[in-house]
Amino acid sequence: MSKFSRVVFFFFFSILVILQASEAARLVPSPRVSGFVTTKDTQFLLNGSPFLFNGFNSYWMMHVAADPTERYKISNVFRDASAAGLTVCRTWAFSDGSNQALDLQTSPGVYDERVFQALDFYAQWAKSAGVQISSDDDFYTNPVLKEYYKNHVKRVLTRFNTITKVVYKDDPTIMAWELMNEPRCQADSTGKTVQGWVQEMATYTKSIDNKHLLEIGMEGFYGDSMPEKKQNNPGYQVGTDFISNNLIEEIDFATIHAYPDIWLSGQNDYAQLGFVQKWMSSHWENSRTILKKPLVFSEFGKSSKDPGYTLSARDEYLNAVYDSTDNLARSGGTIGGGLVWQIVAEGMKSFYDGYEIVLSQNPSTAGLISGQSQKMRALSHTLSRKH
């Protein structure tokens, strides 16, 4: 959930990056990154073997790294995450024009090299440029806005990394690209408008980079293609269709998010957890039998701002999500892993959103996360021996 810029959720192009687990965390062998992550049916593969993972979100990395004196915070998070066995990080590859000091794209097609090195991005700009748009949903259909988006995609994919000396589209450290964070379309609840946009942008992205995996960034809301599935939604639709949108050929795997504390704010913890477990199992089954593609639970967490919040309640919630992930993975694969929202470093209170986890300050939560990493790594190793 883009909790700091929910109103501009559609200005999104993010990346999933593979980390190497530290020696201390590597109780079972962890695969080295020498090739690109691929998919075969409902499995992720790395170096030809099944790849399961435990990961995290840190959307803020490019913003913080724009200031070289602050880059140690990214290093600290990667160090602590690696020690906990976390091997996939999801982060933003854009800045939306809201903070001129930290913008990757300062205006349509104009990039700040300093911020681009930190990563080694449109409706407001369009209005300023005189483009006639009536609502945020014009993003999906307005030719100028779509061209802005494509320009950004091309610029990111063909970026020459000044540190590694590798063009992003050729870098196997990158696991996947995400088209958008949590697409929603109030103008069309059926999911068809988003469907057209995803098809166009997925085809365009793959025409430049066919080495990396591609996913949409969806929360998992069901739409009109299979009306009977809509009973699993939290009481409403958001203009997406989990089934039809993810059936697009160029989309390699599906994602879900879950924030029952927001979606079902009037219900107790027990009911919210029950919703999440059903949300997971439903999408797991649909991914396995209908989409026939892998699934990633790419955002989940529990906020300290929730009524009656306690650290133990958060740990119980995360533990239940991790148990469900592990059980589903053992029951027929398909779910590749989960990405908790969100890991931050010490001294980053301005980025706190209630869901933040500072691994070095939360040993009980860090222990849970580490335990899940070990389970997923062990299962990956077991499947590799059978592969």
Side-chain angles (χ1 to χ4, degrees), residues 256-317:
I256 57 171
H257 301 178
Y259 290 98
D261 50 349
I262 297 174
W263 299 352
L264 305 172
S265 59
Q267 300 189 24
N268 60 32
D269 285 356
Y270 180 81
Q272 291 179 8
L273 178 58
F275 169 83
V276 170
Q277 291 173 325
K278 185 178 179 181
W279 192 247
M280 294 177 68
S281 62
S282 173
H283 288 84
W284 172 79
E285 180 66 22
N286 297 154
S287 297
R288 187 173 67 90
T289 62
I290 301 174
L291 302 180
K292 296 180 172 57
K293 297 178 181 182
L295 174 69
V296 175
F297 195 179
S298 56
E299 283 194 33
F300 60 91
K302 188 171 183 60
S303 175
S304 60
K305 299 177 182 179
D306 293 343
Y309 168 87
T310 63
L311 178 59
S312 62
R314 182 178 74 180
D315 286 351
E316 289 175 7
Y317 177 77

Side-chain angles (χ1 to χ4, degrees), residues 5 31 83 118 128 169 213 219 224 233 273 288 295 311 343 379:
S5 58
S128 300
K169 68 183 183 69
L213 301 179
E219 298 160 278
D224 288 5
N233 289 341
L273 178 58
R288 187 173 67 90
L295 174 69
L311 178 59
I343 304 296
L379 180 55

Side-chain angles (χ1 to χ4, degrees), residues 154-327:
K154 183 177 181 179
R155 191 65 181 264
V156 172
L157 296 179
T158 60
R159 166 70 180 181
F160 177 78
N161 189 314
T162 58
I163 297 173
T164 66
K165 311 303 180 185
V166 177
V167 176
Y168 284 168
K169 68 183 183 69
D170 297 326
D171 189 347
T173 305
I174 297 171
M175 173 183 173
W177 300 108
E178 177 177 284
L179 290 177
M180 178 186 298
N181 180 53
E182 301 183 347
R184 293 188 173 190
C185 182
Q186 295 180 347
D188 179 8
S189 65
T190 69
K192 292 180 180 179
T193 297
V194 171
Q195 179 87 4
W197 184 90
V198 171
Q199 180 65 76
E200 181 176 351
M201 298 311 168
T203 300
Y204 180 77
T205 301
K206 286 287 191 175
S207 73
I208 300 173
D209 179 1
N210 62 4
K211 297 178 181 177
H212 287 104
L213 301 179
L214 182 65
E215 47 99 352
I216 303 171
M218 292 180 61
E219 298 160 278
F221 286 83
Y222 292 100
D224 288 5
S225 67
M226 299 186 72
E228 69 276 13
K229 302 290 184 182
K230 292 192 286 186
Q231 64 180 333
N232 295 305
N233 289 341
Y236 53 91
Q237 293 176 242
V238 298
T240 59
D241 189 318
F242 177 79
I243 302 297
S244 64
N245 297 164
N246 282 301
L247 277 172
I248 290 173
E249 183 179 357
E250 290 82 1
I251 298 303
D252 296 299
F253 64 95
T255 64
I256 57 171
H257 301 178
Y259 290 98
D261 50 349
I262 297 174
W263 299 352
L264 305 172
S265 59
Q267 300 189 24
N268 60 32
D269 285 356
Y270 180 81
Q272 291 179 8
L273 178 58
F275 169 83
V276 170
Q277 291 173 325
K278 185 178 179 181
W279 192 247
M280 294 177 68
S281 62
S282 173
H283 288 84
W284 172 79
E285 180 66 22
N286 297 154
S287 297
R288 187 173 67 90
T289 62
I290 301 174
L291 302 180
K292 296 180 172 57
K293 297 178 181 182
L295 174 69
V296 175
F297 195 179
S298 56
E299 283 194 33
F300 60 91
K302 188 171 183 60
S303 175
S304 60
K305 299 177 182 179
D306 293 343
Y309 168 87
T310 63
L311 178 59
S312 62
R314 182 178 74 180
D315 286 351
E316 289 175 7
Y317 177 77
L318 294 182
N319 187 56
V321 170
Y322 284 146
D323 280 349
S324 293
T325 302
D326 185 53
N327 290 335

Side-chain angles (χ1 to χ4, degrees), residues 2-173:
S2 49
K3 301 187 174 62
F4 283 88
S5 58
R6 190 64 184 85
V7 296
V8 290
F9 68 91
F10 43 74
F11 304 136
F12 205 88
F13 195 72
S14 68
I15 56 177
L16 279 71
V17 182
I18 303 174
L19 288 70
Q20 295 291 355
S22 69
E23 293 298 333
R26 202 177 294 127
L27 300 182
V28 295
S30 182
R32 291 290 179 178
V33 180
S34 60
F36 292 86
V37 178
T38 60
T39 63
K40 182 179 180 181
D41 300 322
T42 61
Q43 276 192 327
F44 290 107
L45 301 177
L46 177 58
N47 303 331
S49 297
F51 176 55
L52 289 85
F53 55 86
N54 192 26
F56 65 103
N57 285 273
S58 285
Y59 80 93
W60 46 266
M61 286 185 171
M62 190 186 73
H63 297 259
V64 172
D67 180 354
T69 66
E70 295 287 295
R71 292 181 182 176
Y72 72 92
K73 294 177 180 177
I74 288 88
S75 298
N76 289 347
V77 163
F78 279 146
R79 179 200 64 209
D80 293 344
S82 181
L86 294 165
T87 53
V88 174
C89 171
R90 176 174 174 257
T91 192
W92 286 5
F94 82 105
S95 183
D96 62 9
S98 60
N99 184 338
Q100 290 299 323
L102 294 176
D103 286 346
L104 170 59
Q105 193 176 18
T106 56
S107 62
V110 179
Y111 289 77
D112 186 332
E113 174 66 17
R114 178 180 66 94
V115 180
F116 228 144
Q117 289 183 1
L119 175 62
D120 276 335
F121 65 113
Y122 290 78
Q124 185 58 45
W125 305 334
K127 290 178 182 177
S128 300
V131 179
Q132 298 299 310
I133 59 176
S134 58
S135 74
D136 289 346
D137 290 337
D138 285 356
F139 172 78
Y140 300 108
T141 57
N142 186 283
V144 176
L145 295 180
K146 290 196 291 184
E147 195 63 24
Y148 286 172
Y149 182 89
K150 289 179 180 178
N151 289 342
H152 176 66
V153 169
K154 183 177 181 179
R155 191 65 181 264
V156 172
L157 296 179
T158 60
R159 166 70 180 181
F160 177 78
N161 189 314
T162 58
I163 297 173
T164 66
K165 311 303 180 185
V166 177
V167 176
Y168 284 168
K169 68 183 183 69
D170 297 326
D171 189 347
T173 305

